[in-house]
Amino acid sequence: MVESAVQRRLAAILAADVVGYSRLMGHDEMGTLTTLRALRAELVDPKIAEHMGRIFKATGDGVLAEFPSVVNAVACAVDIQRRLEARNADMPEDRAIRLRIGVNLGDVIVEGEDIFGDGVNIAARLESVAPAGGIAVSGTVRDHLGNRLDLQFEDMGEQALKNIEQLVRVCRVRPADTSALVRRALSLPDKPWVAVLPFVNMSGDPEQEYFSDGITEDIITELSRFRSLSVIARNSSFTYKGRTMKIPDVARDLGVTYVLEGSVRRAGNRLRITAQLIDAETGSHIWAERYDREIADMFAVQDEITQRIVGMLAVGLEDDSLERAKRKHPENLIAYDHWLRGKHLLWTVGQNNLEARQHFEKAAATDPSFSRAYSGLAVTYQMEALDLLIAAEGRGAYDMAFDCAKRALALDEADYQAHIALAWPCLYRGDYERMKKHVDRAIMFNPNDADSLANASYMLAMYGEGEKAVACGEAAMRLNPRYPDWYIAFQATALFTARRYPEALAARIRVPDYFIDSTFFGAAILAKLDRLAEAKLWAEKAVARLKARPGGIEQAAKGCIQLLLDNNPFRRQEDRDHFAEAMRMAGVPG
């Protein structure tokens, strides 16, 4: 009998295992099993597939997966850990699920769907020495990665791993970098960085959460107007809502030097706001104050808190910045209350545009001079347009965004959100110079607003300023370390436009598949990297998903490339040709 030849290949192997599995099972067996099944179905398995991996073995508390490259494997590991950290944010410490992950590149034996050999065994042993919630990779993986992913590593030297004959060089991904694959390590500038933690609702009424959250967000917004300060964005600081955290830990996570925390108590027409500013390095209180006022004085209190912080921290503030901070407040507090409810719905209820829009409409009807009611309306229409654009129904929503943003700016020229909201419809109308003007003015009026900078990254890429677009995206991610997925989608576009293909791919593989445009961009990036087989697979997947949408078959029949160019309206012909050529290389039908 002739023995079949053993099939071998080089593979990147990822091993993941649950930390404290026995303890969790002992505490709540059925609950733990249910949570782990959900974790696999909702996070781990989709992420492995998204990064082009294949699970070849799964146990109750772990998985082994194979990837076509170390870039895919490590990017997947970082993505899983980052998202799991966010998923654990609202969990009690003793119930949080954490993973250890190990990644190795080595020779493996293939037998059917299973894989064996030292390449797999070393990955499993690396997982066992990784910190809880962290990642350990072999020296081989580290060497092959080079600078392809923007990560930092801690070299642990050669170690003796259980049942592995030779010493293995071990490197750990530094925890501070697992939340930002694409973001470059930006050194802190010579100006103070501040995080404003969510003010605690002390009213005893959960329905008043929107009010305390709104106070916090307003303080963040007003502080971010000052060029001499840098302020962490709202949805990064709000990841600490309801959690007991040590101030030095918060400061280290967000990269700040100062932290503001406080509370809000609303009772009838009375308002009590407490605030304290803390030096994160020493833990000492720089300033603390309590305000007991009539609710009509709320805006004066917010301005006073803002200016006290600025007075403590900022040096050489421009006088006009102080004046801009004293924004025009709505004459009618009912209008402001509706505006707060609308903002709360946009942030916390899955971007519920329709209900949020209704509150903004009520705010505008109650106080027609309240500019932010109209900029809020413009944002809801802008978001609706972005959701619908590839299905060709977004133009009408952009017309509504245009009208609302114009109304907001007529009332308050310094409303930076209205400038961004107006720039989007200008882009899709082909009015590039007007778009650029409003982008520039938004950044001028508030140079520290992360969402504005992230939006600017995409629009500047369409304008043809690729490197400036990348810089805006990097600044947005520094200001908002817990940035949402659309930041990365826009940054991948900016990097592609700047012809920085390896970095663009590292960004793109972190974008969820529900961004159809980004899947096409992934195919374009792979084509430009001469990875044509992978590019064609991505293109086929993107075309299939486009056709599955209502009216998608008819749209695809008219030409996918033209549809994508309409959806990504590059100003310069050379950028249009660059994108179209990549699409053709990937096999996308014209």
Side-chain angles (χ1 to χ4, degrees):
M1 176 185 247
V2 179
E3 186 175 341
S4 299
V6 174
Q7 182 184 351
R8 292 181 177 272
R9 65 167 173 254
L10 192 67
I13 305 296
L14 179 150
D17 197 63
V18 176
V19 177
Y21 177 70
S22 298
R23 173 185 58 80
L24 292 166
M25 289 290 285
H27 179 73
D28 181 1
E29 186 175 89
M30 290 307 299
T32 298
L33 288 174
T34 300
T35 301
L36 290 179
R37 288 193 192 103
L39 180 65
R40 282 279 310 273
E42 297 168 8
L43 175 59
V44 176
D45 291 17
K47 282 298 163 192
I48 288 173
E50 180 182 317
H51 291 273
M52 307 184 75
R54 178 183 73 87
I55 296 174
F56 62 87
K57 188 173 293 182
T59 60
D61 62 339
V63 296
L64 289 167
E66 174 194 21
F67 290 82
S69 78
V70 292
V71 174
N72 294 66
V74 176
C76 180
V78 172
D79 205 358
I80 287 172
Q81 294 290 39
R82 180 178 67 87
R83 291 171 185 274
L84 186 55
E85 179 185 358
R87 192 182 180 107
N88 284 329
D90 296 325
M91 292 285 291
E93 184 63 28
D94 62 340
R95 302 296 298 279
I97 302 292
R98 290 188 171 80
L99 298 178
R100 291 188 175 92
I101 298 179
V103 181
N104 182 45
L105 176 69
D107 189 70
V108 298
I109 300 169
V110 182
E111 187 175 288
E113 295 297 313
D114 209 349
I115 297 177
F116 305 93
D118 276 353
V120 178
N121 297 337
I122 291 173
R125 297 309 177 196
L126 287 166
E127 170 268 306
S128 67
V129 300
I135 303 161
V137 304
S138 64
T140 307
V141 167
R142 175 68 190 95
D143 293 340
H144 276 75
L145 273 178
N147 295 320
R148 290 183 178 88
L149 296 179
D150 195 6
L151 297 171
Q152 294 182 4
F153 295 85
E154 182 180 0
D155 195 327
M156 308 301 293
E158 292 190 332
Q159 297 192 24
L161 302 180
K162 185 177 179 181
N163 296 331
I164 302 299
E165 185 174 341
Q166 296 182 330
L167 295 176
V168 176
R169 179 174 155 228
V170 178
C171 300
R172 291 179 182 171
V173 178
R174 289 187 179 175
D177 294 293
T178 60
S179 65
L181 251 181
V182 180
R183 174 171 56 87
R184 292 182 175 180
L186 301 177
S187 59
L188 292 179
D190 295 329
K191 59 180 178 178
W193 279 77
V194 185
V196 183
L197 297 183
F199 277 37
V200 178
N201 171 28
M202 301 293 289
S203 302
D205 180 4
E207 292 297 319
Q208 292 297 316
E209 285 293 322
Y210 78 92
F211 188 81
S212 56
D213 288 353
I215 295 289
T216 310
E217 185 179 350
D218 259 8
I219 292 172
I220 291 172
T221 297
E222 297 314 319
L223 284 175
S224 68
R225 294 177 187 268
F226 294 96
R227 293 181 181 274
S228 53
L229 293 176
S230 290
V231 186
I232 294 296
R234 182 245 195 234
N235 61 326
S236 283
S237 59
F238 268 64
T239 60
Y240 299 96
K241 184 177 173 65
R243 299 167 62 187
T244 301
M245 296 288 295
K246 295 179 179 178
I247 294 300
D249 292 339
V250 173
R252 184 172 58 252
D253 288 349
L254 298 179
V256 299
T257 42
Y258 300 93
V259 174
L260 178 74
E261 61 179 5
S263 65
V264 178
R265 185 188 299 274
R266 181 180 180 180
N269 292 323
R270 298 293 300 176
L271 184 71
R272 172 176 290 180
I273 297 178
T274 63
Q276 51 189 3
L277 185 66
I278 302 167
D279 183 323
E281 184 176 349
T282 64
S284 60
H285 288 65
I286 296 175
W287 163 79
E289 192 65 81
R290 187 180 79 180
Y291 304 88
D292 285 294
R293 305 281 180 84
E294 294 289 331
I295 200 166
D297 296 332
M298 174 174 57
F299 306 118
V301 171
Q302 289 172 230
D303 287 339
E304 189 173 339
I305 292 172
T306 302
Q307 292 182 42
R308 286 292 299 275
I309 295 168
V310 170
M312 289 288 178
L313 301 180
V315 178
L317 268 179
E318 308 95 328
D319 291 338
D320 64 328
S321 290
L322 277 171
E323 290 305 313
R324 283 203 302 270
K326 299 175 181 178
R327 68 191 183 283
K328 181 181 179 181
H329 296 303
E331 298 295 332
N332 193 313
L333 285 169
I334 297 174
Y336 183 74
D337 192 78
H338 279 299
W339 180 79
L340 286 181
R341 291 177 187 271
K343 295 288 285 185
H344 183 73
L345 285 163
L346 283 181
W347 282 116
T348 61
V349 193
Q351 296 179 339
N352 188 335
N353 269 357
L354 181 58
E355 193 174 351
R357 184 177 300 160
Q358 291 169 349
H359 279 291
F360 292 137
E361 287 171 343
K362 290 176 182 177
T366 305
D367 183 359
S369 68
F370 187 19
S371 67
R372 286 187 294 170
Y374 297 100
S375 58
L377 279 170
V379 170
T380 68
Y381 285 115
Q382 171 206 328
M383 292 168 68
E384 179 182 316
L386 286 173
D387 286 341
L388 293 173
L389 195 58
I390 201 164
E393 290 103 0
R395 309 294 176 175
Y398 266 132
D399 288 342
M400 293 299 295
F402 184 87
D403 292 341
C404 291
K406 278 188 65 179
R407 179 70 182 274
L409 289 176
L411 292 166
D412 182 2
E413 168 63 18
D415 189 337
Y416 63 93
Q417 290 181 330
H419 281 289
I420 287 293
L422 189 55
W424 277 103
C426 290
L427 171 64
Y428 284 101
R429 291 179 174 189
D431 193 347
Y432 295 104
E433 297 309 320
R434 190 174 184 181
M435 176 210 77
K436 179 69 161 47
K437 181 191 80 171
H438 287 294
V439 167
D440 290 345
R441 290 187 73 78
I443 295 173
M444 180 191 75
F445 283 121
N446 193 337
N448 295 316
D449 183 68
D451 283 356
S452 295
L453 289 165
N455 278 285
S457 72
Y458 178 84
M459 287 187 274
L460 290 173
M462 293 299 104
Y463 190 77
E465 295 185 350
E467 290 298 336
K468 187 174 180 180
V470 171
C472 280
E474 289 174 344
M477 288 185 276
R478 176 63 185 91
L479 286 161
N480 188 1
R482 303 288 194 272
Y483 47 82
D485 293 324
W486 63 269
Y487 277 39
I488 294 293
F490 286 176
Q491 185 72 336
T493 302
L495 288 161
F496 176 81
T497 305
R499 280 59 166 175
R500 289 161 60 171
Y501 307 123
E503 294 167 89
L505 182 62
R508 170 53 195 92
I509 59 179
R510 297 186 55 226
V511 179
D513 275 349
Y514 55 75
F515 291 98
I516 295 180
D517 262 20
S518 287
T519 306
F520 279 111
F521 265 100
I525 295 163
L526 287 164
K528 286 296 184 179
L529 288 169
D530 292 324
R531 293 164 60 172
L532 296 182
E534 295 170 78
K536 288 176 180 178
L537 287 174
W538 280 51
E540 289 170 2
K541 178 172 66 172
V543 171
R545 292 188 61 238
L546 173 62
K547 289 181 177 179
R549 295 183 62 140
I553 294 176
E554 293 81 2
Q555 290 173 22
K558 294 177 183 177
C560 289
I561 294 178
Q562 187 56 51
L563 174 67
L564 290 163
L565 285 171
D566 290 343
N567 196 37
N568 298 279
F570 294 100
R571 177 180 67 96
R572 301 190 308 173
Q573 188 60 44
E574 61 192 272
D575 290 330
R576 294 175 63 85
D577 293 342
H578 169 242
F579 182 59
E581 178 193 32
M583 289 284 91
R584 285 189 288 270
M585 291 169 65
V588 176

